[in-house]
Amino acid sequence: MEFPDLRALARAARQRGVPTALDNTWGGGLALKAFDLGEGAAVDLSMHALTKYPSGGSDVLMGSVVTRDAALHEKLLLAHMRLGIGVAANDVEMVLRSLPTLEVRYRAHDASARRIAAWLQAQSPVRRVLHPALPQAPGHEHWASHCRDAAGLFSILLDAALPAERVDAFCDALKLFKLGYSWGGPTSLVVPYDLRALRGDANRYQGHLVRLSIGLEATDDLIADLERALQALR
Ligand SMILES: *Cc1c(COP(=O)(O)O)cnc(C)c1O
């Protein structure tokens, strides 16, 4: 949820002859132009977990690596051949079926997530909402310089004074949000993260981090679900 300065990173790497690869899963190929980051900056490789929005069904595991550099493409082809990587034809078919609806689905996830993120900002015991389109979010200025769209994925920080068990109970109390790490499907997901375990001393956030992936359910129903689970925390 911390949008990086992609332009500066790509440019700094290129100046030093370092190839760059972007995990572009969050952008879904729609939110930003990996091969045209503005002011001449670009990444060399753009990668997608097709598992997420491109599949859209939470029922396929697949990925893609894309480049516009012919020499890199040759290297990738060779590595692909030597490693013997393959995908199942049925899985490919499922992703191909979903691709034409990617844009409308991405926009729907985005609109619903932004409404919910804005609503959550005013709810206790939510202390902070980390969504790159919110002006207070870390990296917001970088998001704004690259994107208008955003994925339906964001995090909230719950009051640090709450015991971790209450945070788990909040996640369990949600009925429409299922527990899950993967995202990009029709079902909304919730997962609590222990930032201190993940980041150690580098953690700069106060409170318990809970990540939400907004699915394609009615936004009002999701808000009502969150409202009910938050009520139990107050
Ligand atoms: C899920 C995810 C991956 C990995 O995708 P899988 O297909 O589930 O292995 C990689 N990058 C990002 C940003 C993801 O969200």
Side-chain angles (χ1 to χ4, degrees), residues 23-26 48-52 60-63 153 181-183 211:
D23 184 333
N24 198 2
T25 302
W26 178 91
H48 291 267
L50 300 176
T51 305
K52 307 290 170 46
V60 174
L61 276 170
M62 207 188 296
L153 197 68
Y181 280 103
S182 199
W183 46 275
R211 192 190 77 177

Coordinates of all heavy atoms in Angstrom, one line a residue, residues 23-26 48-52 60-63 153 181-183 211, ligand 1:
D23 N 6.6 -5.9 -10.5 CA 5.5 -6.8 -10.2 C 4.3 -5.8 -10.4 O 4.0 -5.0 -9.5 CB 5.6 -7.3 -8.8 CG 4.4 -8.3 -8.5 OD1 3.3 -8.1 -9.2 OD2 4.6 -9.2 -7.7
N24 N 3.6 -6.0 -11.5 CA 2.5 -5.0 -11.9 C 1.1 -5.6 -11.6 O 0.1 -5.2 -12.1 CB 2.7 -4.8 -13.4 CG 1.9 -3.5 -13.8 OD1 1.3 -2.8 -13.0 ND2 1.9 -3.2 -15.1
T25 N 1.1 -6.6 -10.7 CA -0.2 -7.3 -10.4 C -1.2 -6.3 -9.9 O -2.4 -6.3 -10.3 CB 0.1 -8.4 -9.3 OG1 1.0 -9.3 -9.8 CG2 -1.2 -9.1 -9.0
W26 N -0.8 -5.4 -9.0 CA -1.8 -4.5 -8.4 C -2.4 -3.6 -9.5 O -3.6 -3.3 -9.4 CB -1.0 -3.6 -7.4 CG -1.8 -2.5 -6.8 CD1 -2.5 -2.6 -5.6 CD2 -2.0 -1.2 -7.2 NE1 -3.2 -1.4 -5.4 CE2 -2.9 -0.5 -6.3 CE3 -1.5 -0.5 -8.4 CZ2 -3.3 0.8 -6.5 CZ3 -1.9 0.8 -8.5 CH2 -2.8 1.5 -7.6
H48 N 2.8 -10.1 -14.1 CA 1.5 -10.1 -13.5 C 1.2 -11.5 -12.9 O 1.5 -12.5 -13.5 CB 0.4 -9.9 -14.6 CG 0.4 -8.5 -15.1 ND1 -0.4 -7.5 -14.6 CD2 1.2 -7.9 -16.1 CE1 -0.1 -6.3 -15.2 NE2 0.8 -6.6 -16.1
A49 N 0.6 -11.5 -11.7 CA 0.0 -12.7 -11.2 C -1.4 -12.7 -11.9 O -2.3 -12.0 -11.5 CB -0.1 -12.7 -9.7
L50 N -1.5 -13.5 -13.0 CA -2.8 -13.6 -13.7 C -3.8 -14.2 -12.8 O -5.0 -14.1 -13.0 CB -2.6 -14.4 -15.0 CG -1.6 -13.8 -16.0 CD1 -1.4 -14.8 -17.2 CD2 -2.0 -12.5 -16.5
T51 N -3.4 -14.9 -11.7 CA -4.2 -15.4 -10.7 C -5.2 -14.4 -10.1 O -6.3 -14.8 -9.7 CB -3.2 -15.8 -9.5 OG1 -2.2 -16.7 -10.0 CG2 -4.0 -16.4 -8.3
K52 N -4.8 -13.1 -10.2 CA -5.6 -12.1 -9.5 C -6.7 -11.6 -10.5 O -7.5 -12.3 -11.0 CB -4.7 -11.0 -9.0 CG -3.6 -11.5 -8.1 CD -4.1 -12.0 -6.7 CE -3.1 -12.8 -5.9 NZ -1.8 -12.2 -5.8
V60 N -7.6 -20.0 -10.6 CA -6.5 -20.3 -11.5 C -5.2 -19.8 -10.9 O -5.2 -18.7 -10.3 CB -6.7 -19.6 -12.9 CG1 -5.5 -19.9 -13.8 CG2 -7.9 -20.2 -13.5
L61 N -4.1 -20.5 -11.0 CA -2.8 -20.0 -10.7 C -2.0 -19.9 -11.9 O -1.7 -20.8 -12.6 CB -2.1 -21.0 -9.7 CG -2.4 -20.9 -8.2 CD1 -1.7 -22.1 -7.5 CD2 -1.9 -19.6 -7.6
M62 N -1.7 -18.6 -12.3 CA -0.9 -18.4 -13.5 C -0.2 -17.0 -13.4 O -0.6 -16.1 -12.7 CB -1.8 -18.4 -14.7 CG -1.1 -18.9 -16.0 SD -2.1 -18.7 -17.5 CE -3.4 -19.9 -17.1
G63 N 0.9 -16.9 -14.2 CA 1.6 -15.6 -14.2 C 2.1 -15.3 -15.6 O 2.1 -16.1 -16.5
L153 N -7.8 -3.0 -3.2 CA -7.0 -3.6 -2.1 C -6.5 -2.4 -1.3 O -5.9 -1.5 -1.8 CB -5.8 -4.3 -2.8 CG -5.0 -5.3 -2.0 CD1 -5.8 -6.5 -1.7 CD2 -3.8 -5.7 -2.8
Y181 N -5.4 -14.8 1.5 CA -4.3 -14.0 1.0 C -4.5 -13.5 -0.4 O -4.1 -12.4 -0.8 CB -3.0 -14.8 1.2 CG -2.4 -14.8 2.5 CD1 -2.6 -16.0 3.3 CD2 -1.8 -13.7 3.1 CE1 -2.0 -16.0 4.6 CE2 -1.2 -13.8 4.3 CZ -1.4 -14.9 5.1 OH -0.9 -15.0 6.4
S182 N -4.9 -14.5 -1.3 CA -5.0 -14.1 -2.7 C -6.1 -13.1 -2.9 O -6.9 -12.9 -1.9 CB -5.2 -15.4 -3.5 OG -4.9 -15.2 -4.8
W183 N -6.2 -12.5 -4.0 CA -7.3 -11.5 -4.2 C -7.6 -11.4 -5.7 O -7.0 -12.1 -6.5 CB -6.9 -10.1 -3.6 CG -5.5 -9.7 -3.9 CD1 -4.3 -10.0 -3.3 CD2 -5.1 -8.8 -5.0 NE1 -3.3 -9.4 -3.9 CE2 -3.7 -8.7 -4.9 CE3 -5.8 -8.1 -6.0 CZ2 -2.9 -7.9 -5.8 CZ3 -5.0 -7.4 -6.9 CH2 -3.6 -7.3 -6.8
R211 N -5.6 -6.1 6.2 CA -5.8 -5.9 4.8 C -7.1 -6.3 4.3 O -7.6 -7.4 4.6 CB -4.7 -6.6 4.0 CG -4.6 -6.1 2.5 CD -3.7 -6.9 1.7 NE -4.3 -8.2 1.4 CZ -3.7 -9.1 0.6 NH1 -2.5 -8.9 0.1 NH2 -4.3 -10.2 0.3
Ligands
LIG1 C1 -0.6 -12.9 -5.5 C2 0.6 -12.1 -5.9 C3 1.6 -12.8 -6.5 C4 1.7 -14.3 -6.7 O1 0.7 -14.8 -7.5 P1 0.4 -16.3 -7.5 O2 -0.2 -16.5 -8.8 O3 -0.7 -16.5 -6.4 O4 1.6 -17.1 -7.1 C5 2.7 -12.0 -6.9 N1 2.7 -10.6 -6.8 C6 1.6 -10.0 -6.2 C7 1.7 -8.5 -6.0 C8 0.5 -10.7 -5.8 O5 -0.5 -10.1 -5.2

